Amino acid sequence: MSGEDAPAQQQNAVDQKQETKPAEEPKSEPPKTESAPAAAAEAAATPAATTEKVPEEEAFTYRALVLTGYGGYDKVKLQVKKGKPVLKAGEVQVRVKACGLNFADLMARQGLYDRLPSPPVTPGMECSGVVEAVGEEVTDRKVGDKVMVLNRFGLWQEVAVVPASHTFLIPEGMSFEEAAALPVNYITAYMMLFDFGNLRPNQSVLVHAAAGGVGIAATQLCKTVNDVTVFGTASASKHETISQGGVTHAIDYRTKDYVEEVRKISPKGLDIILDPLGGSDTHKAYNLLKPMGKLITYGAANMLAGQKKNLIAVAKNWYHQFSIHTLSLIQGNKSVCGFHLGYLDGETELISHAMNIILDLYKEGKVKPRIDSTWHLEQVGDAMRKMQERNNIGKVILTTEPMPEEEKKEEAKKEDKKEDKKKEDKKKDDKKKDDAKKEEKKDDKKKEEAKKEEKKEEKKEEEPKKEEK
């Protein structure tokens, strides 16, 4: 979320410092009157001092997930960074315990999210952990504070350096997993519903992907206002869960037309629609609004189709991009808003205000993040796959806890099986190709034989004609 490239810049600074430090070590020059043996002894002592400090700098290591290029799940790799980060004024160093996975991270992996710098880069917009160092001018944070962090990127790692203003104290009783699940989803849902939507009692709201992180956050926040009717789209297997969570009317978007289903229950339309889909669904949303209704669009999930960038899906989404003339807005008495938390990185007061209200609601027991599953950093590919295939109900979390050796062995076996399956599939494909080639050769041979037979027949027919002549 932060507009500052703190993690990347500071790591570069650390790397530069490591390269230049030995050259920068002050070397005391011996006085001209000093004896040669004394000078030699001092010269020998200086490198020793340097070598003592260099290992101390390099001894600090931490693991980080790095997006190495755009593409599939395998493009996010676990690497080890060396060197202790240097804190600037106003910054804190956080020992990360848990990280949140967001839809924007999936789009970033495919090169579809412009708030992430070009690879190689560490993704991650939210995390939770413990403050282990504070920079100058930091007065409201101290070593040992448990905090959640919101940043533009750079948080999928064991150690993160961020501005202190991007951290929020974790309330008593909240786990690190819950804290990592809260910032992006709940701030997004809150600001859309209340800052843009002005949600009031007796209104109706459509929440797409109601079983996802933002969907569950929005549903919970809707229930803090009296008599709000929530329409939620999700696959049928998730309906029981989202209904228990506060969705009034669950709609299976895979088997039914959600527009028709909404019209059956609310013929006049809806007061607020949250649209993370984009493309043709934005047109449908606008047409579903009541007079004085508000459409809040905050994503383009329809562009994401498959592991890698799907140019057809991207082109289709852009082709169906929603646009409207201001006169139509006036005549329809409708409102269209756009929300993107990643572009609010400079609005610290606005975000802090929303977060403080959310934390108060948490303390009152009115909102609570739902954790779908927790994965080790080594399992980031599986975590992304689960979310991208829409198999999660709630938040997908990454934990920085090292994976136990037994689990590592299991993961290695799984990878071996995957490789074996790939090899088997390749063998099958190669066999099919070989068989196809053999069939082609047989067909060619048959055609050749048929041609020979035709020639023989023609020759037989020609011989009687010659005899007649």
Side-chain angles (χ1 to χ4, degrees), residues 43-64:
T46 304
T50 305
T51 51
E52 279 175 17
K53 290 186 179 179
V54 171
E56 189 180 347
E57 282 289 317
E58 291 179 352
F60 191 95
T61 62
Y62 55 99
R63 298 180 306 152

Side-chain angles (χ1 to χ4, degrees), residues 152-168:
R152 185 154 70 89
F153 66 96
L155 300 183
W156 285 1
Q157 52 188 347
E158 290 179 323
V159 175
V161 172
V162 295
S165 58
H166 292 192
T167 66
F168 307 90

Side-chain angles (χ1 to χ4, degrees), residues 310-331:
N310 186 319
L311 293 176
I312 294 171
V314 173
K316 189 177 177 183
N317 193 78
W318 279 108
Y319 180 76
H320 292 292
Q321 192 70 22
F322 177 76
S323 62
I324 190 165
H325 198 281
T326 50
L327 284 177
S328 298
L329 287 174
I330 293 167
Q331 291 161 3

Side-chain angles (χ1 to χ4, degrees), residues 14-27 45-61 82-84:
V14 171
D15 294 340
Q16 190 176 6
K17 184 179 175 185
Q18 286 177 320
E19 289 170 12
T20 57
K21 186 154 189 176
E24 290 170 1
E25 283 292 337
K27 294 183 181 179
T46 304
T50 305
T51 51
E52 279 175 17
K53 290 186 179 179
V54 171
E56 189 180 347
E57 282 289 317
E58 291 179 352
F60 191 95
T61 62
K82 292 182 179 181
K84 196 167 186 177

Side-chain angles (χ1 to χ4, degrees), residues 269-440:
L270 304 170
D271 295 294
I272 299 171
I273 297 176
L274 308 181
D275 168 39
L277 305 175
S280 58
D281 285 287
T282 310
H283 291 266
K284 292 178 184 177
Y286 183 78
N287 293 329
L288 261 180
L289 289 177
K290 284 180 181 178
M292 301 303 292
K294 302 173 188 73
L295 164 61
I296 303 154
T297 181
Y298 68 103
N302 286 336
M303 284 202 292
L304 203 66
Q307 271 199 59
K308 299 176 182 179
K309 186 193 287 186
N310 186 319
L311 293 176
I312 294 171
V314 173
K316 189 177 177 183
N317 193 78
W318 279 108
Y319 180 76
H320 292 292
Q321 192 70 22
F322 177 76
S323 62
I324 190 165
H325 198 281
T326 50
L327 284 177
S328 298
L329 287 174
I330 293 167
Q331 291 161 3
N333 286 295
K334 296 177 180 181
S335 172
V336 179
C337 311
F339 183 84
H340 193 311
L341 186 58
Y343 282 93
L344 287 176
D345 36 3
E347 302 297 330
T348 307
E349 288 182 19
L350 193 63
I351 288 169
S352 295
H353 173 72
M355 180 60 94
N356 290 335
I357 293 172
I358 292 162
L359 291 176
D360 286 341
L361 290 171
Y362 176 86
K363 291 170 189 174
E364 293 166 16
K366 293 181 179 178
V367 301
K368 183 178 176 66
R370 179 190 173 94
I371 309 301
D372 172 83
S373 53
T374 301
W375 307 77
H376 293 283
L377 295 180
E378 292 92 336
Q379 299 170 307
V380 64
D382 293 327
M384 289 190 292
R385 181 181 288 105
K386 179 159 194 179
M387 190 172 184
Q388 189 162 327
E389 293 176 357
R390 273 75 162 179
N391 291 326
N392 60 302
I393 301 178
K395 193 75 173 180
V396 177
I397 294 293
L398 297 172
T399 177
T400 58
E401 267 184 36
M403 184 185 284
E405 285 303 317
E406 287 181 11
E407 282 189 45
K408 280 185 183 178
K409 287 175 185 175
E410 285 297 317
E411 285 293 314
K413 284 179 185 176
K414 284 180 187 176
E415 287 302 316
D416 289 342
K417 282 180 183 177
K418 282 180 188 176
E419 286 300 316
D420 291 342
K421 193 172 184 304
K422 280 181 186 176
K423 286 175 183 175
E424 263 181 56
D425 291 342
K426 192 175 183 304
K427 280 181 184 177
K428 284 177 184 177
D429 289 340
D430 290 343
K431 193 174 183 300
K432 282 179 184 177
K433 287 175 184 176
D434 288 340
D435 290 343
K437 282 179 183 177
K438 285 175 185 176
E439 287 299 319
E440 279 178 23

Side-chain angles (χ1 to χ4, degrees), residues 1-158:
M1 126 93 210
S2 166
E4 297 179 37
D5 300 351
Q9 288 175 348
Q10 283 155 359
Q11 186 58 40
N12 290 340
V14 171
D15 294 340
Q16 190 176 6
K17 184 179 175 185
Q18 286 177 320
E19 289 170 12
T20 57
K21 186 154 189 176
E24 290 170 1
E25 283 292 337
K27 294 183 181 179
S28 53
E29 290 190 16
K32 291 179 182 178
T33 55
E34 208 169 25
S35 65
E42 189 168 0
T46 304
T50 305
T51 51
E52 279 175 17
K53 290 186 179 179
V54 171
E56 189 180 347
E57 282 289 317
E58 291 179 352
F60 191 95
T61 62
Y62 55 99
R63 298 180 306 152
L65 289 170
V66 178
L67 178 65
T68 57
Y70 299 130
Y73 306 124
D74 60 339
K75 292 296 182 182
V76 183
K77 300 184 186 299
L78 187 59
Q79 298 180 359
V80 176
K81 293 185 179 180
K82 292 182 179 181
K84 196 167 186 177
V86 179
L87 294 180
K88 296 177 186 174
E91 292 182 335
V92 295
Q93 180 176 303
V94 177
R95 177 62 62 170
V96 178
K97 300 294 184 181
C99 315
L101 183 62
N102 291 286
F103 214 80
D105 297 314
L106 304 180
M107 298 189 78
R109 195 194 71 240
Q110 294 190 4
L112 296 171
Y113 184 73
D114 60 358
R115 298 302 285 159
L116 187 75
S118 300
V121 62
T122 293
M125 294 176 280
E126 61 188 343
C127 73
S128 61
V130 180
V131 175
E132 61 180 14
V134 296
E136 293 177 8
E137 300 175 18
V138 176
T139 56
D140 56 349
R141 295 288 177 270
K142 65 183 185 300
V143 173
D145 280 346
K146 293 180 180 179
V147 294
M148 59 187 81
V149 184
L150 186 64
N151 212 49
R152 185 154 70 89
F153 66 96
L155 300 183
W156 285 1
Q157 52 188 347
E158 290 179 323

